[in-house]
């Protein structure tokens, strides 16, 4: 599968129907950084140019992509592999979007999710955001919940994953950065957090697609070769930006040709998330780091087997990758 995917990310719109606490998109001013474009002809031309340049996969984020389905459609029609990042408040229709993968955000689980995400743009709060997402996507194989683990929500991890299992969806773990903190990546009891994540993975192996090695790297930021996740190794950057010249040249691999575009469909963004590298441990950036680090898994057949399993779990997150010819075969 991997050799058929050349990826990009597009900020489809600056509009969103909720305001998650500490949302990097709005906190970082991405909604005002460029002038949003709604011209359907320009968007269609942009999607066609991506395809002509060899791009096969686009992750569409915002803002909230389900608010602008007319902008989603050109990408679905021009590119074979599409992922939508959504808050789950509005459903993505099935008709016409049958092969689209949908990643639904989830913060902390239990009551923490509403506390952190269920806030309207006018400042008022509501409840049941996670439940609404479950209702929209009951038994929908396109959906993977992207569950940002929080140390103060460990008691909610298992019941939340169980609810996703019972709803017929998948879940991958993310890392919840404590917004508003001077140390957003600090976990007071790292091993307790890791143990609970691994325990729930073992309980629900068919629902939690995250590999145990990935889970450990996500929570600790570290690898077996003493790698530490950060800007100097993160591969999910817009490689053609001049700001990344030293990073691209430092010898650590990047995603070839990867680019993130603003909502004007031309301005390159720094990376796949906020650009605040000191406060980031984004799950997909971490997974990509492990995927491009094959050379560190070649010292034994056991290590290579771990990397192959990591690759399988990485692709399993996304519905459009399922049913394809296996990317990797064990020797």
């Amino acid at each position: 599968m991997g050799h058929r995917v050349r990826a990009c990310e597009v900020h489809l719109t600056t509009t969103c129907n909720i305001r998650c606490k500490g949302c990097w998109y709005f906190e970082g001013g991405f909604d005002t950084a460029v002038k949003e474009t709604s011209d359907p002809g320009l968007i269609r031309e942009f999607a066609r140019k991506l395809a002509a340049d060899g791009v096969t996969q686009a992750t569409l984020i915002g803002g909230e992509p389900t608010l602008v389905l007319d902008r989603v459609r050109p990408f679905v029609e021009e590119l074979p592999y599409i992922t939508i990042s959504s808050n789950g408040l509005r459903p993505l229709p099935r008709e016409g979007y049958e092969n689209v993968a949908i990643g639904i955000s989830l913060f902390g689980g239990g009551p923490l999710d509403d506390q952190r995400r269920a806030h309207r743009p006018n400042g008022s709060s509501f409840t049941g955001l996670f439940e609404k997402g479950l209702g929209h996507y009951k038994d929908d194989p396109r959906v993977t919940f992207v569950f940002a683990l929080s140390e103060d929500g460990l008691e909610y991890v298992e019941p939340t994953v169980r609810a996703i299992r019972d709803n017929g969806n998948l879940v991958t773990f993310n890392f919840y950065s404590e917004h508003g903190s001077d140390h957003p990546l600090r976990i007071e009891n790292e091993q307790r957090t890791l143990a609970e994540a691994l325990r729930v993975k073992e309980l629900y192996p068919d629902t939690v697609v995250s590999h145990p090695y990935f889970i450990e790297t996500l929570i600790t930021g570290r690898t077996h070769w003493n790698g530490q996740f950060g800007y100097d190794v993160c591969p999910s950057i817009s490689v053609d930006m001049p700001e990344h010249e030293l990073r691209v040249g430092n010898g650590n691999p990047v995603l070839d040709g990867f680019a993130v575009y603003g909502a004007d469909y031309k301005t390159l963004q720094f990376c796949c998330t906020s650009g605040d590298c000191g406060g980031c441990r984004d799950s997909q950036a971490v997974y990509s780091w492990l995927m491009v680090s094959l050379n560190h898994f070649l010292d034994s057949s056991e290590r290579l087997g771990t990397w192959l399993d990591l690759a399988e779990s990485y692709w399993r997150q996304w519905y459009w990758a399922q049913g394809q010819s296996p990317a990797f075969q064990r020797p």
Side-chain angles (χ1 to χ4, degrees):
M1 185 73 213
H3 67 281
R4 295 199 295 271
V5 176
R6 181 181 166 195
C8 75
E9 183 175 282
V10 183
H11 295 191
L12 267 193
T13 177
T14 61
T15 302
C16 191
N17 46 7
I18 61 174
R19 291 293 186 275
C20 302
K21 287 186 177 180
C23 171
W24 64 263
Y25 189 79
F26 290 99
E27 291 285 327
F30 288 87
D31 58 320
T32 58
V34 299
K35 186 176 181 180
E36 179 175 349
T37 297
S38 59
D39 183 339
L42 185 150
I43 296 170
R44 172 75 64 179
E45 181 182 352
F46 175 77
R48 286 175 175 167
K49 184 178 185 304
L50 290 177
D53 289 344
V55 173
T56 58
Q57 190 273 337
T59 297
L60 308 180
I61 67 171
E64 173 54 42
T66 61
L67 298 176
V68 287
L69 292 182
D70 58 325
R71 303 183 199 180
V72 175
R73 192 70 188 179
F75 293 92
V76 173
E77 293 174 349
E78 299 295 337
L79 301 177
Y81 310 125
I82 299 295
T83 302
I84 298 287
S85 178
S86 175
N87 57 40
L89 191 56
R90 291 183 58 165
L92 184 76
R94 294 206 184 197
E95 185 176 356
Y97 304 91
E98 293 87 353
N99 297 315
V100 172
I102 305 168
I104 299 180
S105 299
L106 173 62
F107 290 178
L112 293 180
D113 190 57
D114 278 347
Q115 292 172 21
R116 292 168 174 172
R117 292 201 305 138
H119 305 280
R120 300 183 181 91
N122 64 10
S124 64
S125 301
F126 60 100
T127 59
L129 179 53
F130 173 54
E131 290 76 15
K132 187 172 285 290
L134 290 174
H136 289 325
Y137 295 110
K138 173 70 174 172
D139 294 324
D140 191 332
R142 301 175 300 170
V143 171
T144 297
F145 281 85
V146 184
F147 186 178
L149 299 175
S150 174
E151 184 177 22
D152 56 355
L154 296 186
E155 65 187 288
Y156 307 122
V157 177
E158 183 181 344
T160 300
V161 170
R162 187 189 314 122
I164 293 170
R165 188 274 311 272
D166 293 345
N167 205 60
N169 310 123
L170 300 176
V171 60
T172 187
F173 289 146
N174 201 355
F175 184 96
Y176 183 77
S177 299
E178 199 65 49
H179 295 284
S181 166
D182 292 335
H183 304 282
L185 299 181
R186 176 178 293 171
I187 297 180
E188 297 299 332
N189 196 326
E190 188 177 86
Q191 289 306 306
R192 178 170 169 260
T193 303
L194 175 59
E196 180 61 8
L198 292 175
R199 185 184 76 86
V200 173
K201 164 64 178 178
E202 188 172 355
L203 279 176
Y204 301 96
D206 295 330
T207 300
V208 180
V209 298
S210 303
H211 188 276
Y213 189 103
F214 161 77
I215 294 172
E216 183 168 357
T217 302
L218 177 74
I219 291 174
T220 67
R222 301 183 295 274
T223 64
H224 72 273
W225 67 88
N226 295 320
Q228 181 70 46
F229 184 72
Y231 173 68
D232 62 329
V233 299
C234 180
S236 302
I237 57 174
S238 291
V239 294
D240 288 337
M241 289 188 74
E243 292 93 325
H244 293 312
E245 183 178 357
L246 291 178
R247 162 63 190 91
V248 173
N250 72 2
N252 294 316
V254 295
L255 299 177
D256 290 339
F258 184 72
V260 182
Y261 298 93
D264 60 355
Y265 301 91
K266 61 181 179 181
T267 301
L268 285 176
Q269 306 296 302
F270 189 82
C271 66
C272 69
T273 56
S274 66
D276 177 18
C277 300
C280 175
R281 200 171 294 154
D282 176 74
S283 61
Q284 297 312 304
V286 171
Y287 241 137
S288 295
W289 176 39
L290 297 177
M291 288 297 90
V292 299
S293 299
L294 173 61
N295 61 307
H296 292 293
F297 292 84
L298 298 178
D299 54 343
S300 70
S301 59
E302 182 180 1
R303 289 285 190 206
L304 177 58
T306 296
W307 187 88
L308 291 169
D309 289 340
L310 276 164
E312 182 179 346
S313 67
Y314 174 79
W315 294 114
R316 191 170 166 236
Q317 297 175 102
W318 312 123
Y319 182 62
W320 45 260
Q322 299 170 26
Q324 303 283 339
S325 297
F328 308 100
Q329 300 285 343
R330 281 189 181 278

